[in-house]
Amino acid sequence: MKLKKITIITASAVILVLAFALQALAMDFSAEFVEKDGDSVRKGKIYMTGQKSRFEMEGMDEIEVTRADKKVMWIIFPKKRVYVEEEFWGVIPGDIGETGAPKDTGDLSRKDLGYEMVDSYRLKKFLVTVKYNKGETQDQYYEWYRTGFPIPVKMESMNGAVSYEYKKIKTAPQDPSLFNEPKGYKKITIDELEKLEAEWAKDKKK
């Protein structure tokens, strides 16, 4: 897959899963997110409106704008004034395709574990179990929900090693310009990006 050649700021597929779960709800919001994977911690911002999303990873010169309505994704490098356009290949769990049938995401169930305080909020906690292959295999993880917000504000693996959390959530209309194809930027191919990345790496060593 071509996109694998790009250093994408969204290191975990869970980001897109959470973001595009809002498409059917047409909910606008912005938030800070914290993604943990072992000792690795990444922070950033997400902006969401309908079928459009924007991710900005803290400390990285990359912005990812996904337009599911146009079936494209732009990886933007603000400091270099260049961007790459790719076909949007993400799979949206529960999405309704052209056939009108939901995509197969396994047999999902949630066990209510009551309420828990997280980041000063009283959140509803669930143990999520997803079974595949007629129950032969399964995944389990935790989810926390905030009243009035339809998707989990936090997800965490059973052992706590991996987690993803939204903070400072603001539900409000988003600036449409956040999701536009960048103007005044040079559009480049993936091959051109690879050459530029090699040059940028050399410049950093100087």
Side-chain angles (χ1 to χ4, degrees):
M1 188 176 294
K2 288 184 177 180
L3 195 55
K4 290 184 178 179
K5 296 181 180 178
I6 300 179
T7 304
I8 305 176
I9 61 174
T10 52
S12 172
V14 71
I15 298 178
L16 282 178
V17 171
L18 290 177
F20 286 98
L22 289 179
Q23 288 187 2
L25 302 169
M27 182 178 185
D28 290 16
F29 84 99
S30 64
E32 295 179 4
F33 64 82
V34 180
E35 180 184 283
K36 297 180 181 179
D37 187 353
D39 294 330
S40 175
V41 179
R42 301 198 237 225
K43 299 179 180 180
K45 292 205 69 174
I46 175 177
Y47 304 86
M48 186 74 193
T49 179
Q51 293 186 318
K52 308 170 188 177
S53 70
R54 179 186 177 99
F55 293 97
E56 300 176 358
M57 188 67 76
E58 189 177 283
M60 295 184 69
D61 180 33
E62 295 178 28
I63 296 171
E64 180 183 300
V65 175
T66 302
R67 293 289 300 268
D69 57 334
K70 293 180 177 290
K71 294 182 172 58
V72 298
M73 179 164 60
W74 298 305
I75 309 299
I76 306 166
F77 301 84
K79 292 182 180 179
K80 307 299 181 180
R81 307 290 292 182
V82 298
Y83 72 103
V84 176
E85 180 178 293
E86 280 292 311
E87 181 181 356
F88 174 61
W89 50 267
V91 176
I92 305 169
D95 185 28
I96 303 298
E98 294 180 2
T99 62
K103 292 183 175 68
D104 181 15
T105 56
D107 181 14
L108 185 147
S109 62
R110 288 183 175 87
K111 180 181 179 181
D112 189 339
L113 300 180
Y115 287 91
E116 186 172 292
M117 294 299 295
V118 177
D119 195 27
S120 76
Y121 285 94
R122 187 170 180 262
L123 304 180
K124 192 76 168 177
K125 184 178 181 180
F126 294 90
L127 172 62
V128 181
T129 301
V130 187
K131 295 182 179 180
Y132 304 95
N133 302 321
K134 297 182 179 180
E136 293 182 9
T137 58
Q138 71 175 32
D139 290 326
Q140 286 188 306
Y141 55 93
Y142 296 111
E143 286 182 344
W144 287 260
Y145 284 80
R146 196 173 87 177
T147 302
F149 198 66
I151 62 171
V153 297
K154 182 177 180 180
M155 297 176 68
E156 185 177 272
S157 61
M158 293 288 289
N159 61 7
V162 180
S163 66
Y164 184 85
E165 182 177 1
Y166 284 139
K167 295 176 177 288
K168 298 182 180 179
I169 300 169
K170 297 179 181 179
T171 54
Q174 301 300 302
D175 183 350
S177 66
L178 290 170
F179 313 99
N180 291 340
E181 187 172 0
K183 293 182 178 179
Y185 282 55
K186 182 182 178 181
K187 186 176 179 178
I188 61 175
T189 65
I190 292 177
D191 290 337
E192 289 174 323
L193 175 61
E194 287 182 332
K195 292 178 181 179
L196 285 174
E197 285 183 327
E199 294 176 6
W200 299 341
K202 288 180 180 179
D203 290 340
K204 286 183 179 181
K205 291 181 180 180
K206 293 180 179 179

